[in-house]
Amino acid sequence: MLRISENKRTFEKDGKPFFYLADTCWSAFTNISDEEWTYYLKRRKQQGFNTIQINILPQWDASETPYHYYPLPTEDKKTFAFTTWNQAYFTRARAMCEQAKQQGFELALVVLWCNYIPDTWANRMNDANTMPYDFIDSYIDIVHDTFSDLHPMYIISGDSDFPSEQCISYYHKAFTLLKEKAKDCLFSMHIKGRFSKIPACFIDLMDFYMYQSGHNALPENKGMPYQLAQIFYHEYPIKPIFNSEPCYEQMGSSGGLYGRWSQYDVRKAAWQSILSGACAGITYGAAGIYSWHKTGAKFGTGTGEGFATPKPWNEAIQFPGAWDYGFISHILHSLKINELIPCELLTKQNEEIRCEKTTDEACFLIYLPSNIALRINLDLQDKEVYILDMKHKNITIPEVCIEKGQSVIEMHPFDEDALIIIQG
């Protein structure tokens, strides 16, 4: 089973380091056929993923689906009657989870996305499916009975802010009820994008932190991957940290802003997160996968963050950024890196360039989003230095000049981002 490592910063599984590498498939239980699920699991396993993030209840901004997989009675496929649970829905969801576990995946299951909770930003936009407070008890019962013996990570909230005592009371009730039942499971909360405030009553209940740098392309938000990592690393009690929702590949910018996130953008967000204190893992997302969009289906109902229509899932699953995320895990595993510690190596500060070191200082990693010569406060005389091209996965040995205890790493020959690896 998955556990928190002794260092309190990372995970372990069966006594070995476990780098949380998740794919976002929020709409799995409602939108995916059995055949598609089998193909999806095979492809993501090939790419190196070990965890899948799924919303237990229907995703409010999922794409239109031809199927009738619903947990509660509904006449319009959008609005639910909170009367009796549909056992067949949970039986099928359970079977999908069993299949994923058989393929070696861990499960990160969101219990209550924010649209189901009163007063949240999403519920204010559409409150049609606000769950009655007294209905939480039966919901937690069926969640526990369906999934807990599979030892998922339970993510109590989804995309949530915490604007009121009523909202907090809902989440606190669900959290405490499920944590009391599922004693062997790990717990966290998936909070609102570009958000870092978690009510104090949840901190001791959480086993790890999930933040999301999100999909907003405004200039003031470009530093969210590393800025949020630093906040959780320095200002909260020590627990594993990872970015659970960086920008999704080929997702349109939130708020209807023009543009889509590229392979380079999502790769940059990942490395900037990991090398800023969020070294426990990273989550990938692809537009067309999280909502499981099918050719000709409707997308967008006037709710949500105003994203552009995605490509169909069978195209989105081929996006190259997924391979980049698998490569991240491969690099860290090859270097035998578990915990990383933020450090300041640059003689001239540049927040876009992120640096971390292993606890024994045997390895330093520097992520360089754009090509530039670097002067660092480290004597590289007896160290091995090489640079890995993040775009084409080529390797070069750079020219290094040493001056009075400092070192200058000359410009590399690659045309996009690169990872500088220093060992010895």
Side-chain angles (χ1 to χ4, degrees):
M1 293 188 294
L2 211 59
R3 290 284 181 260
I4 306 300
S5 300
E6 188 176 347
N7 61 25
K8 299 182 181 180
R9 290 288 188 192
T10 58
F11 299 101
E12 63 180 44
K13 182 179 180 180
D14 300 329
K16 299 177 181 178
F18 179 88
F19 182 78
Y20 179 104
L21 185 64
D23 185 46
T24 306
C25 198
W26 297 135
S27 308
F29 295 159
T30 58
N31 285 43
I32 302 181
S33 70
D34 295 345
E35 181 182 8
E36 291 166 350
W37 183 241
T38 298
Y39 174 77
Y40 167 80
L41 293 176
K42 180 179 179 179
R43 174 46 58 94
R44 287 306 191 228
K45 184 176 181 180
Q46 291 172 336
Q47 293 169 321
F49 290 91
N50 57 27
T51 306
I52 304 173
Q53 295 180 174
I54 305 172
N55 192 355
I56 295 176
L57 297 177
Q59 182 74 16
W60 78 318
D61 58 351
S63 294
E64 183 183 43
T65 176
Y67 310 121
H68 299 277
Y69 305 136
Y70 298 108
L72 293 156
T74 178
E75 294 183 0
D76 60 3
K77 297 185 178 183
K78 298 177 183 178
T79 307
F80 303 116
F82 289 91
T83 52
T84 56
W85 295 106
N86 177 11
Q87 184 59 54
Y89 173 89
F90 289 93
T91 299
R92 181 176 184 272
R94 162 77 187 206
M96 294 175 71
C97 289
E98 287 178 343
Q99 187 177 352
K101 293 286 286 189
Q102 289 166 3
Q103 294 296 317
F105 289 98
E106 297 299 323
L107 302 164
L109 304 180
V110 174
V111 178
L112 284 167
W113 204 266
C114 62
N115 62 295
Y116 294 98
I117 304 298
D119 302 333
T120 62
W121 70 271
N123 188 265
R124 290 194 299 270
M125 295 178 69
N126 185 346
D127 64 358
N129 286 319
T130 304
M131 182 177 289
Y133 186 80
D134 292 339
F135 213 70
I136 293 175
D137 299 78
S138 67
Y139 176 52
I140 295 303
D141 284 342
I142 199 167
V143 167
H144 172 66
D145 292 343
T146 303
F147 303 111
S148 289
D149 67 320
L150 298 176
H151 302 109
M153 288 166 274
Y154 279 125
I155 316 304
I156 296 298
S157 66
D159 214 5
S160 304
D161 53 357
F162 306 96
S164 70
E165 289 301 320
Q166 183 182 26
C167 167
I168 292 171
S169 70
Y170 264 73
Y171 278 128
H172 193 266
K173 180 179 182 179
F175 212 143
T176 53
L177 285 175
L178 188 53
K179 195 172 180 70
E180 177 61 28
K181 293 175 180 292
K183 297 182 185 297
D184 292 331
C185 296
L186 298 179
F187 286 78
S188 188
M189 305 185 86
H190 177 67
I191 62 176
K192 180 182 175 181
R194 306 171 297 282
F195 197 71
S196 62
K197 303 296 184 183
I198 300 176
C201 63
F202 297 120
I203 300 300
D204 289 342
L205 295 172
M206 298 170 67
D207 295 298
F208 56 94
Y209 304 119
M210 306 171 75
Y211 71 88
Q212 61 154 317
S213 54
H215 319 283
N216 193 288
L218 292 173
E220 60 265 30
N221 293 320
K222 72 175 185 177
M224 287 290 107
Y226 55 86
Q227 290 170 3
L228 290 170
Q230 291 174 307
I231 289 172
F232 280 94
Y233 189 89
H234 293 292
E235 298 182 13
Y236 281 90
I238 298 175
K239 300 178 192 290
I241 307 164
F242 59 88
N243 189 347
S244 65
E245 193 171 331
C247 49
Y248 290 169
E249 190 166 8
Q250 288 301 308
M251 172 83 88
S253 299
S254 66
L257 296 177
Y258 179 73
R260 291 182 185 266
W261 298 101
S262 69
Q263 177 186 3
Y264 167 81
D265 293 325
V266 301
R267 187 172 64 231
K268 176 182 175 182
W271 278 109
Q272 287 186 329
S273 301
I274 294 166
L275 297 188
S276 302
C279 69
I282 191 69
T283 299
Y284 172 77
I289 294 296
Y290 86 90
S291 65
W292 209 261
H293 191 71
K294 296 180 186 289
T295 301
K298 294 180 180 179
F299 176 81
T301 60
T303 60
E305 293 189 70
F307 298 123
T309 300
K311 290 184 178 180
W313 75 269
N314 52 313
E315 293 184 39
I317 203 168
Q318 310 298 338
F319 290 163
W323 295 101
D324 284 336
Y325 274 52
F327 193 59
I328 292 171
S329 180
H330 174 73
I331 292 171
L332 298 178
H333 178 75
S334 298
L335 294 172
K336 294 181 170 58
I337 289 176
N338 185 21
E339 182 182 1
L340 285 164
I341 302 172
C343 60
E344 294 185 6
L345 288 180
L346 307 185
T347 59
K348 184 178 180 181
Q349 182 63 20
N350 183 325
E351 287 196 338
E352 289 275 292
I353 302 171
R354 308 309 305 172
C355 310
E356 285 202 326
K357 62 183 180 181
T358 54
T359 54
D360 60 2
E361 298 191 354
C363 184
F364 294 81
L365 300 179
I366 304 173
Y367 176 72
L368 196 62
S370 299
N371 201 352
I372 191 173
L374 287 184
R375 180 181 289 273
I376 63 174
N377 288 311
L378 193 65
D379 189 331
L380 300 180
Q381 180 67 49
D382 299 317
K383 297 186 181 296
E384 178 185 7
V385 183
Y386 55 101
I387 302 179
L388 181 57
D389 170 19
M390 293 285 94
K391 182 178 181 180
H392 297 295
K393 313 304 183 283
N394 297 315
I395 297 176
T396 189
I397 307 300
E399 295 182 39
V400 177
C401 299
I402 301 170
E403 304 172 356
K404 298 179 181 180
Q406 296 181 342
S407 302
V408 176
I409 303 174
E410 298 295 344
M411 288 177 58
H412 60 72
F414 309 129
D415 58 1
E416 284 193 6
D417 53 332
L419 183 71
I420 301 175
I421 301 171
I422 302 169
Q423 292 180 296

